[in-house]
Amino acid sequence: MTSRLSPERLLGLGMGFWGAKALLSAVELGVFTRLAESRATLVQLTRDLGLHERGARDFLDALVALKLLERADGLYGNAPDADFFLDRAKASYVGGLLEMANARLYPSWGSLTHALRTGRRVSENPDEADFFGALYAVPDRLRGFLAAMSGVSAAPAAAIAEKIPWKDYASFVDVGAAQGMVPATIARAHPHLAGASFDLPAVRPIFEEFIARQGLSDRLRFIPGDFFKDELPSADVIIMGHILHDWNMDEKLILLAKAQQALPEGGLLVVYEALIDDERRENAFGLLMSLNMLIETPGGFDYTGADCQRWMREAGFAETRVEHLLGPDSMVIGVK
């Protein structure tokens, strides 16, 4: 039996950071944006991307081997998915998340062992008690973080726009909407809806700029506030996407109770995350996301759909259900 075992899977997993960093550097360098303009030779890309000739060929051919680029007749081009999702000039760009991973998460994950031994976050400014306050205080870092949230929210936003019976509702509020990817996606799909974003005041100009580019300023508004200090705005549907996992158990329960109080009878709370499967065996992304919360936050953690349903019932919701969205993401719906 043991003679048939191969270390290939283990070594591939352990060395997986090689391919990840190649992709992250390619996004940072603008490889996919450049090649979306036109196919190019090695010499042209080396010049246009500012690469040193020693590593350029191996780097670009590694991207070919990783199926991120294609090469034919000496010309490099984007693979179809890379062209669609990683060209900064396209509305479908999701590379903001990868830009954040490159700038912030990749270095921090190098300290995972320390975080596992201490239970303390190890991202930048690890002694800063107000992680989000520190993050939001630096405009460029805030803009990058909000763009990353758009990247991680784009696919679930489209699924939420499709799966919720929006014809039965007239209004919604996205709590912690960041740039506004989710409100914009829902509003475009359902012209009868009026929506709002509830987020910290520093987010307002970034949200309004993004929504203006979408041509939705007449239907989507920004409501400034702090969801721990202020009451949540009332609407038929309240959305919390990638929000609850940032907080400890007591804080999670506070936010769910506030949502329940803000909803009318029959209103919906939609919580979506990379939910961990109930048996905690399959959704590796959700479990790794929870480790990312260990690295990034003082008390945050991810959870299963069953966990969230139980917390919603404790908060007073009459009905709850879990629905899969796309990939690792699912939503928990609570009905008041």
Side-chain angles (χ1 to χ4, degrees):
M1 174 69 178
T2 56
S3 63
R4 298 194 188 101
L5 291 176
S6 168
E8 183 177 1
R9 181 182 70 87
L10 302 178
L11 295 178
L13 185 60
M15 304 306 293
F17 67 92
W18 283 5
K21 191 62 180 75
L23 170 58
L24 297 181
S25 289
V27 172
E28 179 184 7
L29 290 163
V31 172
F32 307 105
T33 301
R34 165 61 186 85
L35 287 175
E37 298 171 0
S38 64
R39 299 172 72 85
T41 66
L42 171 62
V43 172
Q44 290 171 323
L45 287 175
T46 300
R47 179 196 65 217
D48 293 350
L49 300 173
L51 305 178
H52 191 283
E53 62 181 15
R54 180 185 175 197
R57 184 183 182 190
D58 287 344
F59 174 56
L60 294 169
D61 285 346
L63 296 177
V64 172
L66 291 167
K67 312 302 182 188
L68 297 166
L69 298 184
E70 300 171 345
R71 189 189 67 238
D73 300 324
L75 293 174
Y76 292 89
N78 288 330
D81 54 354
D83 193 73
F84 187 73
F85 291 114
L86 297 179
D87 172 14
R88 292 190 182 104
K90 291 186 174 68
S92 52
Y93 180 66
V94 299
L97 177 62
L98 300 182
E99 291 178 28
M100 183 184 75
N102 191 45
R104 296 183 52 244
L105 303 185
Y106 186 84
S108 297
W109 268 74
S111 299
L112 174 61
T113 303
H114 181 71
L116 289 168
R117 285 175 171 158
T118 65
R120 292 174 57 85
R121 73 182 192 89
V122 292
S123 60
E124 71 267 58
N125 303 317
D127 296 323
E128 175 63 58
D130 185 359
F131 166 70
F132 286 101
L135 179 65
Y136 280 39
V138 182
D140 287 345
R141 191 161 58 178
L142 172 60
R143 188 171 287 273
F145 176 74
L146 298 183
M149 293 305 97
S150 285
V152 78
S153 298
I160 290 168
E162 178 183 343
K163 289 177 177 288
I164 298 292
W166 289 106
K167 61 181 177 57
D168 299 332
Y169 305 100
S171 63
F172 70 93
V173 171
D174 189 357
V175 176
Q179 279 185 315
M181 176 63 76
V182 173
T185 303
I186 294 171
R188 276 198 307 271
H190 303 281
H192 73 284
L193 289 172
S197 162
F198 181 74
D199 214 323
L200 294 172
V203 176
R204 181 173 211 146
I206 300 171
F207 172 86
E208 292 181 344
E209 174 187 313
F210 180 85
I211 295 303
R213 291 201 306 269
Q214 310 296 315
L216 294 167
S217 299
D218 59 330
R219 293 173 49 212
L220 298 175
R221 62 193 178 102
F222 186 87
I223 303 173
D226 180 323
F227 49 50
F228 286 118
K229 297 177 181 177
D230 304 313
E231 298 305 312
L232 299 185
S234 181
D236 295 335
V237 179
I238 293 177
I239 302 168
M240 291 184 182
H242 304 123
I243 294 294
L244 282 188
H245 73 163
D246 292 329
W247 307 101
N248 66 32
M249 190 68 258
D250 290 342
E251 291 163 333
K252 284 175 167 62
L253 295 177
I254 288 170
L255 292 177
L256 291 173
K258 285 194 168 193
Q260 198 272 349
Q261 293 165 9
L263 287 167
E265 291 296 321
L268 299 187
L269 171 62
V270 179
V271 171
Y272 72 90
E273 309 265 18
L275 291 178
I276 299 169
D277 58 289
D278 288 347
E279 295 298 319
R280 297 176 60 87
R281 294 177 183 274
E282 301 298 331
N283 191 354
F285 187 91
L287 290 160
L288 292 171
M289 179 65 82
S290 198
L291 290 179
N292 193 63
M293 293 302 100
L294 167 66
I295 285 171
E296 288 269 88
T297 70
F301 62 93
D302 283 76
Y303 47 88
T304 69
D307 291 333
C308 192
Q309 285 184 285
R310 184 175 68 255
W311 303 334
M312 284 183 173
R313 289 193 292 269
E314 290 175 7
F317 285 91
E319 302 173 29
T320 64
R321 66 182 187 272
V322 177
E323 292 189 30
H324 180 247
L325 294 172
L326 290 170
D329 286 305
S330 296
M331 62 180 171
V332 187
I333 297 174
V335 183
K336 182 170 177 178

PDB file of all heavy atoms in Angstrom, residues 34-48:
ATOM      1  N   ARG A  34      -1.962  44.865 -19.615  1.00  0.00           N
ATOM      2  CA  ARG A  34      -1.155  45.138 -20.820  1.00  0.00           C
ATOM      3  C   ARG A  34      -1.550  44.202 -21.952  1.00  0.00           C
ATOM      4  O   ARG A  34      -1.709  44.632 -23.111  1.00  0.00           O
ATOM      5  CB  ARG A  34       0.338  44.981 -20.470  1.00  0.00           C
ATOM      6  CG  ARG A  34       1.291  44.865 -21.673  1.00  0.00           C
ATOM      7  CD  ARG A  34       1.256  46.105 -22.572  1.00  0.00           C
ATOM      8  NE  ARG A  34       2.053  45.910 -23.769  1.00  0.00           N
ATOM      9  CZ  ARG A  34       1.620  45.331 -24.878  1.00  0.00           C
ATOM     10  NH1 ARG A  34       0.361  44.880 -24.962  1.00  0.00           N
ATOM     11  NH2 ARG A  34       2.423  45.233 -25.936  1.00  0.00           N
ATOM     12  N   LEU A  35      -1.697  42.916 -21.664  1.00  0.00           N
ATOM     13  CA  LEU A  35      -1.994  41.963 -22.729  1.00  0.00           C
ATOM     14  C   LEU A  35      -3.437  42.036 -23.204  1.00  0.00           C
ATOM     15  O   LEU A  35      -3.764  41.520 -24.276  1.00  0.00           O
ATOM     16  CB  LEU A  35      -1.657  40.547 -22.266  1.00  0.00           C
ATOM     17  CG  LEU A  35      -0.153  40.253 -22.175  1.00  0.00           C
ATOM     18  CD1 LEU A  35       0.102  38.875 -21.592  1.00  0.00           C
ATOM     19  CD2 LEU A  35       0.505  40.380 -23.553  1.00  0.00           C
ATOM     20  N   ALA A  36      -4.316  42.660 -22.420  1.00  0.00           N
ATOM     21  CA  ALA A  36      -5.682  42.891 -22.902  1.00  0.00           C
ATOM     22  C   ALA A  36      -5.680  43.910 -24.040  1.00  0.00           C
ATOM     23  O   ALA A  36      -6.590  43.919 -24.881  1.00  0.00           O
ATOM     24  CB  ALA A  36      -6.566  43.374 -21.764  1.00  0.00           C
ATOM     25  N   GLU A  37      -4.664  44.750 -24.085  1.00  0.00           N
ATOM     26  CA  GLU A  37      -4.554  45.744 -25.161  1.00  0.00           C
ATOM     27  C   GLU A  37      -4.123  45.086 -26.466  1.00  0.00           C
ATOM     28  O   GLU A  37      -4.666  45.376 -27.535  1.00  0.00           O
ATOM     29  CB  GLU A  37      -3.551  46.825 -24.765  1.00  0.00           C
ATOM     30  CG  GLU A  37      -3.944  47.619 -23.526  1.00  0.00           C
ATOM     31  CD  GLU A  37      -2.837  48.530 -23.040  1.00  0.00           C
ATOM     32  OE1 GLU A  37      -1.753  48.536 -23.678  1.00  0.00           O
ATOM     33  OE2 GLU A  37      -3.034  49.228 -22.030  1.00  0.00           O
ATOM     34  N   SER A  38      -3.127  44.194 -26.384  1.00  0.00           N
ATOM     35  CA  SER A  38      -2.657  43.482 -27.572  1.00  0.00           C
ATOM     36  C   SER A  38      -1.694  42.393 -27.142  1.00  0.00           C
ATOM     37  O   SER A  38      -1.053  42.490 -26.092  1.00  0.00           O
ATOM     38  CB  SER A  38      -1.942  44.431 -28.540  1.00  0.00           C
ATOM     39  OG  SER A  38      -0.759  44.960 -27.945  1.00  0.00           O
ATOM     40  N   ARG A  39      -1.580  41.344 -27.935  1.00  0.00           N
ATOM     41  CA  ARG A  39      -0.595  40.310 -27.686  1.00  0.00           C
ATOM     42  C   ARG A  39       0.799  40.904 -27.872  1.00  0.00           C
ATOM     43  O   ARG A  39       0.965  41.902 -28.586  1.00  0.00           O
ATOM     44  CB  ARG A  39      -0.822  39.117 -28.615  1.00  0.00           C
ATOM     45  CG  ARG A  39      -2.194  38.476 -28.403  1.00  0.00           C
ATOM     46  CD  ARG A  39      -2.487  37.415 -29.455  1.00  0.00           C
ATOM     47  NE  ARG A  39      -1.689  36.217 -29.266  1.00  0.00           N
ATOM     48  CZ  ARG A  39      -2.009  35.225 -28.448  1.00  0.00           C
ATOM     49  NH1 ARG A  39      -3.137  35.279 -27.736  1.00  0.00           N
ATOM     50  NH2 ARG A  39      -1.250  34.165 -28.342  1.00  0.00           N
ATOM     51  N   ALA A  40       1.809  40.299 -27.249  1.00  0.00           N
ATOM     52  CA  ALA A  40       3.133  40.913 -27.272  1.00  0.00           C
ATOM     53  C   ALA A  40       4.217  39.858 -27.167  1.00  0.00           C
ATOM     54  O   ALA A  40       4.001  38.749 -26.656  1.00  0.00           O
ATOM     55  CB  ALA A  40       3.268  41.911 -26.121  1.00  0.00           C
ATOM     56  N   THR A  41       5.401  40.212 -27.655  1.00  0.00           N
ATOM     57  CA  THR A  41       6.562  39.338 -27.567  1.00  0.00           C
ATOM     58  C   THR A  41       7.215  39.464 -26.202  1.00  0.00           C
ATOM     59  O   THR A  41       6.908  40.371 -25.418  1.00  0.00           O
ATOM     60  CB  THR A  41       7.593  39.705 -28.641  1.00  0.00           C
ATOM     61  OG1 THR A  41       8.108  41.014 -28.338  1.00  0.00           O
ATOM     62  CG2 THR A  41       6.970  39.700 -30.036  1.00  0.00           C
ATOM     63  N   LEU A  42       8.158  38.560 -25.945  1.00  0.00           N
ATOM     64  CA  LEU A  42       8.937  38.622 -24.710  1.00  0.00           C
ATOM     65  C   LEU A  42       9.662  39.948 -24.594  1.00  0.00           C
ATOM     66  O   LEU A  42       9.655  40.571 -23.522  1.00  0.00           O
ATOM     67  CB  LEU A  42       9.936  37.459 -24.684  1.00  0.00           C
ATOM     68  CG  LEU A  42      10.989  37.483 -23.568  1.00  0.00           C
ATOM     69  CD1 LEU A  42      10.333  37.406 -22.206  1.00  0.00           C
ATOM     70  CD2 LEU A  42      11.997  36.344 -23.764  1.00  0.00           C
ATOM     71  N   VAL A  43      10.266  40.392 -25.654  1.00  0.00           N
ATOM     72  CA  VAL A  43      11.019  41.656 -25.624  1.00  0.00           C
ATOM     73  C   VAL A  43      10.086  42.824 -25.319  1.00  0.00           C
ATOM     74  O   VAL A  43      10.400  43.698 -24.498  1.00  0.00           O
ATOM     75  CB  VAL A  43      11.762  41.876 -26.963  1.00  0.00           C
ATOM     76  CG1 VAL A  43      12.380  43.284 -27.005  1.00  0.00           C
ATOM     77  CG2 VAL A  43      12.844  40.820 -27.141  1.00  0.00           C
ATOM     78  N   GLN A  44       8.922  42.854 -25.960  1.00  0.00           N
ATOM     79  CA  GLN A  44       7.975  43.946 -25.726  1.00  0.00           C
ATOM     80  C   GLN A  44       7.475  43.952 -24.279  1.00  0.00           C
ATOM     81  O   GLN A  44       7.400  45.001 -23.639  1.00  0.00           O
ATOM     82  CB  GLN A  44       6.789  43.811 -26.690  1.00  0.00           C
ATOM     83  CG  GLN A  44       7.132  44.103 -28.144  1.00  0.00           C
ATOM     84  CD  GLN A  44       5.996  43.735 -29.081  1.00  0.00           C
ATOM     85  OE1 GLN A  44       5.298  42.723 -28.879  1.00  0.00           O
ATOM     86  NE2 GLN A  44       5.795  44.545 -30.110  1.00  0.00           N
ATOM     87  N   LEU A  45       7.133  42.781 -23.749  1.00  0.00           N
ATOM     88  CA  LEU A  45       6.626  42.715 -22.380  1.00  0.00           C
ATOM     89  C   LEU A  45       7.705  43.055 -21.360  1.00  0.00           C
ATOM     90  O   LEU A  45       7.432  43.731 -20.359  1.00  0.00           O
ATOM     91  CB  LEU A  45       6.058  41.324 -22.090  1.00  0.00           C
ATOM     92  CG  LEU A  45       4.724  41.000 -22.764  1.00  0.00           C
ATOM     93  CD1 LEU A  45       4.338  39.556 -22.504  1.00  0.00           C
ATOM     94  CD2 LEU A  45       3.621  41.929 -22.266  1.00  0.00           C
ATOM     95  N   THR A  46       8.919  42.602 -21.611  1.00  0.00           N
ATOM     96  CA  THR A  46      10.015  42.930 -20.703  1.00  0.00           C
ATOM     97  C   THR A  46      10.173  44.442 -20.599  1.00  0.00           C
ATOM     98  O   THR A  46      10.329  44.996 -19.503  1.00  0.00           O
ATOM     99  CB  THR A  46      11.323  42.282 -21.196  1.00  0.00           C
ATOM    100  OG1 THR A  46      11.156  40.864 -21.237  1.00  0.00           O
ATOM    101  CG2 THR A  46      12.485  42.621 -20.275  1.00  0.00           C
ATOM    102  N   ARG A  47      10.083  45.110 -21.740  1.00  0.00           N
ATOM    103  CA  ARG A  47      10.195  46.570 -21.767  1.00  0.00           C
ATOM    104  C   ARG A  47       8.973  47.233 -21.150  1.00  0.00           C
ATOM    105  O   ARG A  47       9.098  48.105 -20.279  1.00  0.00           O
ATOM    106  CB  ARG A  47      10.361  47.039 -23.220  1.00  0.00           C
ATOM    107  CG  ARG A  47      10.455  48.560 -23.381  1.00  0.00           C
ATOM    108  CD  ARG A  47      10.210  48.948 -24.830  1.00  0.00           C
ATOM    109  NE  ARG A  47       8.837  48.636 -25.234  1.00  0.00           N
ATOM    110  CZ  ARG A  47       8.502  48.176 -26.446  1.00  0.00           C
ATOM    111  NH1 ARG A  47       9.424  47.923 -27.363  1.00  0.00           N
ATOM    112  NH2 ARG A  47       7.235  47.944 -26.736  1.00  0.00           N
ATOM    113  N   ASP A  48       7.789  46.833 -21.561  1.00  0.00           N
ATOM    114  CA  ASP A  48       6.571  47.530 -21.144  1.00  0.00           C
ATOM    115  C   ASP A  48       6.277  47.345 -19.656  1.00  0.00           C
ATOM    116  O   ASP A  48       5.697  48.236 -19.024  1.00  0.00           O
ATOM    117  CB  ASP A  48       5.375  47.036 -21.962  1.00  0.00           C
ATOM    118  CG  ASP A  48       5.474  47.414 -23.430  1.00  0.00           C
ATOM    119  OD1 ASP A  48       6.366  48.214 -23.775  1.00  0.00           O
ATOM    120  OD2 ASP A  48       4.679  46.886 -24.227  1.00  0.00           O
TER     121      ASP A  48
END
